[in-house]
Amino acid sequence: MKLEQRYEGKAKKVYATENPAEYIVEYKDDATAFNGVKKAQIGGKGEINNAITAHLFPLLERAGVPTHFIEKLSEREQRVRAVTIIPVEVIVRNVAAGSFCKRLGIEEGTALSRPVVEYCYKSDALGDPLINTDTAIALGWATNEELSRIRELSLKVRDFLVPFFAARSTRLIDFKLEFGKTLDGTVILADEISPDTCRFWDAETNEKLDKDRFRRDLGGVEDAYAEMLRRVTTPAQG
């Protein structure tokens, strides 16, 4: 049973349940960009992101990545393990894009010789600023052991998702992850994996199939999200 609301973010609401070890997450259609400066509704986004995450998280579990996901409850809701979110977001970059290019003066689409793992402080008020692991440890946001585990799991997610999407004619350019600690302190993957948190490019045309269509006013946002749900839930080609 859904009880009091514990948290509301830009894309989801989190509710307590009778079981202190479990929450209910409700996905919203709200979309924001540029630290909340640009806001809109994307029709069906909540249902699509819920469905994509509910499809991918069990696959990641089987690939050795512990997650908070338990089950999909409805078109917009899922039951998850209760976690305390570690305020360190992880960005894994396979190809140069977005703020990485702007910050370093690199052309978008430039191949990277190895994955780049970046960290941000999870703070809407501050615009999720880039940090390093020393900062996270010094300010008590995470321990060295927790950050090592987060990096290990983030790269394991990458190793699973890159070929998964490649087999579905999609390039995984980069993606953002969040992690949390369960009641016993175990670090697990939380949040979501969706066109909100990943850059997806079509393998043949490099057409953008993610939130960049909203950020950059490219149009076709709803169609791109629906297309990614179709690809995620379609068996691998070949």
Side-chain angles (χ1 to χ4, degrees), residues 98-117:
S99 62
F100 185 83
C101 295
K102 182 177 181 180
R103 192 167 70 241
L104 300 176
I106 298 171
E107 183 179 355
E108 186 161 78
T110 299
L112 301 174
S113 62
R114 54 173 286 171
V116 174
V117 180

Side-chain angles (χ1 to χ4, degrees), residues 14-237:
V14 179
Y15 295 89
T17 68
E18 302 102 319
N19 184 346
E22 295 180 1
Y23 290 152
I24 290 175
V25 173
E26 177 185 321
Y27 284 71
K28 306 191 297 183
D29 286 346
D30 295 2
T32 63
F34 312 118
N35 299 321
V37 173
K38 183 176 183 179
K39 299 179 181 179
Q41 293 259 314
I42 299 174
K45 180 176 83 76
E47 295 182 10
I48 288 171
N49 288 356
N50 183 30
I52 290 175
T53 300
H55 187 86
L56 290 176
F57 272 41
L59 298 178
L60 287 168
E61 287 270 4
R62 292 198 285 273
V65 178
T67 79
H68 74 163
F69 180 79
I70 299 175
E71 65 173 335
K72 183 181 176 185
L73 296 175
S74 68
E75 293 303 307
R76 291 184 178 272
E77 296 174 322
Q78 56 186 238
R79 185 165 63 98
V80 302
R81 295 175 181 86
V83 297
T84 300
I85 292 293
I86 297 170
V88 179
E89 297 181 343
V90 184
I91 301 170
V92 180
R93 300 186 183 275
N94 303 309
V95 177
S99 62
F100 185 83
C101 295
K102 182 177 181 180
R103 192 167 70 241
L104 300 176
I106 298 171
E107 183 179 355
E108 186 161 78
T110 299
L112 301 174
S113 62
R114 54 173 286 171
V116 174
V117 180
E118 296 183 328
Y119 304 91
C120 296
Y121 174 44
K122 181 176 170 61
S123 169
D124 291 341
L126 298 176
D128 300 334
L130 274 173
I131 60 169
N132 59 30
T133 54
D134 284 345
T135 303
I137 295 168
L139 293 176
W141 297 333
T143 66
N144 185 58
E145 292 75 17
E146 288 166 349
L147 291 167
S148 295
R149 180 60 169 161
I150 285 170
R151 179 182 173 85
E152 175 191 359
L153 291 175
S154 297
L155 291 174
K156 188 172 287 190
V157 170
R158 176 198 177 271
D159 290 344
F160 175 82
L161 290 182
V162 168
F164 176 90
F165 283 110
R168 291 158 177 82
S169 302
T170 304
R171 299 175 67 195
L172 179 60
I173 302 302
D174 58 35
F175 58 96
K176 175 184 74 70
L177 300 175
E178 294 185 23
F179 292 85
K181 291 190 289 185
T182 60
L183 297 180
D184 66 0
T186 302
V187 174
I188 63 176
L189 179 65
D191 196 43
E192 65 183 285
I193 294 176
S194 73
D196 270 13
T197 62
C198 304
R199 280 191 171 90
F200 298 122
W201 293 2
D202 181 82
E204 293 186 6
T205 67
N206 281 335
E207 177 186 7
K208 294 175 174 59
L209 298 169
D210 55 64
K211 193 177 176 181
D212 271 348
R213 302 202 70 85
F214 169 70
R215 293 186 187 98
R216 304 183 186 188
D217 295 317
L218 298 176
V221 181
E222 291 86 352
D223 290 343
Y225 276 62
E227 173 62 15
M228 282 312 305
L229 174 59
R230 186 193 68 79
R231 294 190 187 196
V232 166
T233 56
T234 296
Q237 298 178 4

